[in-house]
Amino acid sequence: MKHVAIVGASLAGLSAARALRAQGFDGQLTVVGDEAQRPYDRPPLSKEFLCGNVSEADLALESDDDDLQADWRLGVAAAKLDSRCGAIELADGTRIDADGVVIATGSRARRWPGCEDMAGVHVIRTIADAVALREDLVPGAALVVIGAGFIGAEVASTARKLGLDVTVVEAAPTPLQTQLGGWLGGVVAGAHAANGTRLICGVGVAGLVGEKRALRAPGSAGRVTGVDLADGRHLPADVVVVGIGGVPNIDWLRGSGLELGNGVLCGANGQTAMPNVVAVGDCAAWLDTAANARHRVEHWTGALERPALAVASLLAGGAHQETTVKPPYFWSDQYGSRIQFAGLARPDDEITIEEGNCEDRCLLATYRRDGRLVAVLGIDQPRLFTRWRRQLMTTPAAV
């Protein structure tokens, strides 16, 4: 293999480039990115960067000793892939011919339909998104956050710190119900209330309301003024943040011959049906061999660690590698507390509070299935969580 092209220049793409060099690949390396910026860290966008505590320069992911000898093609998106020969066509018409391809195109924030051009309505995925939102976070303004997931909760926490009046709307009965379950999702709900955030759960959003058409400037979609809920309530809003998940950036791969679904469908190490193509990061749905199902892991740690496994498979010509993938892990900083979670939980798992209590929102909880440890949750228990996470990584997977 003489030339590898990595499509995607964020953490997963950078991690793949580092892994290629670390594993002995000394050929030509090309990295394509649709954003003009060099690789940067995304988690601070909804926290420290949003409130102005860190600068854009502080987000840089590359270190001084990185010597990847790569050809960076930034500010241009990939438009088409011929997976048989590794040919990549860029949006500007450029063609890149490579022996191997690493797909790391990530995901984009899901927007509220029909409100893409409405002023005051934001998503947060890129530096540009965060800068635009920061300009609207004026003390005293009314902010409505749609979705109480990681991004929504972190934006709500930051906005409360900046002095905004914040309401969070979540269609599920509790925040993070899919990840934590209803009981411990309720513990997270208590943090919102304790910090002055209004939380409305179990109700969907019917639509966003903007300025009357007569008041709109020509060619403008107007500015948001409120959010209508499915139960008939109306929430006035100066600013709205939509945090309802991400969409994998795989449209450019249609017709490539790769198997697509909720992401690029991969084997247990990121390998695709084409031996010269692997996929990593938010756009990749890796096979979970224990559950015999593919799912995307949209977390920072996965984008950091998993590319090394995919690169090993790529350099081996798609051959199966006997490796163990670490259980998914994420953390979230909300209202001064750190939430850490590792593993994959199901609604019927047995939950045990090993340390602390729900009332103080300081606890370590374990999830077991058929007697086996399958997940661990820590809220402000970093040392204890680390010990339990190590145990989780050595526990045989439960089906």
Side-chain angles (χ1 to χ4, degrees), residues 11-98:
L11 176 60
L14 177 61
S15 298
R18 286 171 170 164
L20 279 163
R21 294 308 191 201
Q23 294 179 31
F25 176 72
D26 59 1
Q28 184 179 354
L29 181 58
T30 302
V31 184
V32 177
D34 61 348
E35 292 184 71
Q37 291 95 339
R38 303 285 290 195
Y40 63 88
D41 208 14
R42 297 186 191 274
L45 294 181
S46 56
K47 297 169 287 192
E48 297 95 336
F49 183 80
L50 189 59
C51 65
N53 289 344
V54 300
S55 68
E56 184 172 333
D58 296 323
L59 301 179
L61 284 171
E62 293 171 277
S63 59
D64 293 338
D65 59 355
D66 272 328
D67 185 19
L68 300 175
Q69 299 179 352
D71 176 16
W72 294 84
R73 309 283 186 92
L74 300 178
V76 58
K80 186 177 180 181
L81 170 68
D82 184 341
S83 57
R84 294 168 298 177
C85 61
I88 300 165
E89 182 180 315
L90 305 185
D92 63 2
T94 304
R95 177 186 170 99
I96 298 172
D97 293 296

Side-chain angles (χ1 to χ4, degrees), residues 52-358:
N53 289 344
V54 300
S55 68
E56 184 172 333
D58 296 323
L59 301 179
L61 284 171
E62 293 171 277
S63 59
D64 293 338
D65 59 355
D66 272 328
D67 185 19
L68 300 175
Q69 299 179 352
D71 176 16
W72 294 84
R73 309 283 186 92
L74 300 178
V76 58
K80 186 177 180 181
L81 170 68
D82 184 341
S83 57
R84 294 168 298 177
C85 61
I88 300 165
E89 182 180 315
L90 305 185
D92 63 2
T94 304
R95 177 186 170 99
I96 298 172
D97 293 296
D99 303 308
V101 177
V102 179
I103 299 170
T105 42
S107 64
R108 61 189 181 274
R110 192 184 304 275
R111 297 180 180 272
W112 197 262
C115 299
E116 293 83 355
D117 298 324
M118 185 178 286
V121 179
H122 299 269
V123 295
I124 185 163
R125 174 69 183 176
T126 67
I127 286 178
D129 293 335
V131 170
L133 174 58
R134 187 164 59 189
E135 293 175 354
D136 270 352
L137 295 184
V138 179
L143 167 67
V144 174
V145 179
I146 303 175
F150 312 117
I151 295 296
E154 289 171 359
V155 169
S157 172
T158 301
R160 284 296 299 146
K161 186 186 301 184
L162 294 174
L164 279 79
D165 178 15
V166 181
T167 300
V168 177
V169 181
E170 170 57 54
T174 68
L176 299 176
Q177 174 142 340
T178 301
Q179 294 82 4
L180 309 185
W183 177 28
L184 296 178
V187 175
V188 176
H192 287 286
N195 287 276
T197 296
R198 182 186 181 192
L199 177 64
I200 301 174
C201 288
V203 180
V205 171
L208 275 56
V209 179
E211 293 171 316
K212 293 181 180 179
R213 187 173 299 276
L215 299 178
R216 297 178 185 173
S220 169
R223 184 173 183 89
V224 69
T225 59
V227 176
D228 286 338
L229 302 186
D231 62 3
R233 281 181 285 178
H234 174 77
L235 305 176
D238 301 306
V239 189
V240 172
V241 172
V242 180
I244 53 175
V247 181
N249 290 321
I250 59 173
D251 292 343
W252 69 285
L253 295 169
R254 302 199 185 282
S256 66
L258 296 178
E259 190 177 0
L260 307 177
N262 182 23
V264 181
L265 302 186
C266 303
N269 292 326
Q271 65 271 38
T272 70
M274 304 291 180
N276 63 326
V277 180
V278 295
V280 298
D282 290 5
C283 69
W286 282 30
L287 175 65
D288 180 339
T289 55
N292 194 29
R294 293 181 173 93
H295 57 85
R296 296 189 297 124
V297 174
E298 300 178 83
H299 303 308
W300 190 91
T301 308
L304 178 70
E305 297 174 344
R306 293 189 172 202
L309 303 178
V311 161
S313 177
L314 178 68
L315 295 178
H320 177 69
Q321 305 290 308
E322 292 294 336
T323 55
T324 300
V325 179
K326 293 180 181 179
Y329 163 70
F330 71 80
W331 78 91
S332 180
D333 295 321
Q334 303 175 18
Y335 304 107
S337 291
R338 169 152 290 196
I339 301 170
Q340 296 173 281
F341 189 87
L344 290 170
R346 295 180 184 172
D348 56 350
D349 289 340
E350 178 186 353
I351 301 175
T352 303
I353 305 297
E354 306 285 351
E355 186 73 29
N357 59 76
C358 297

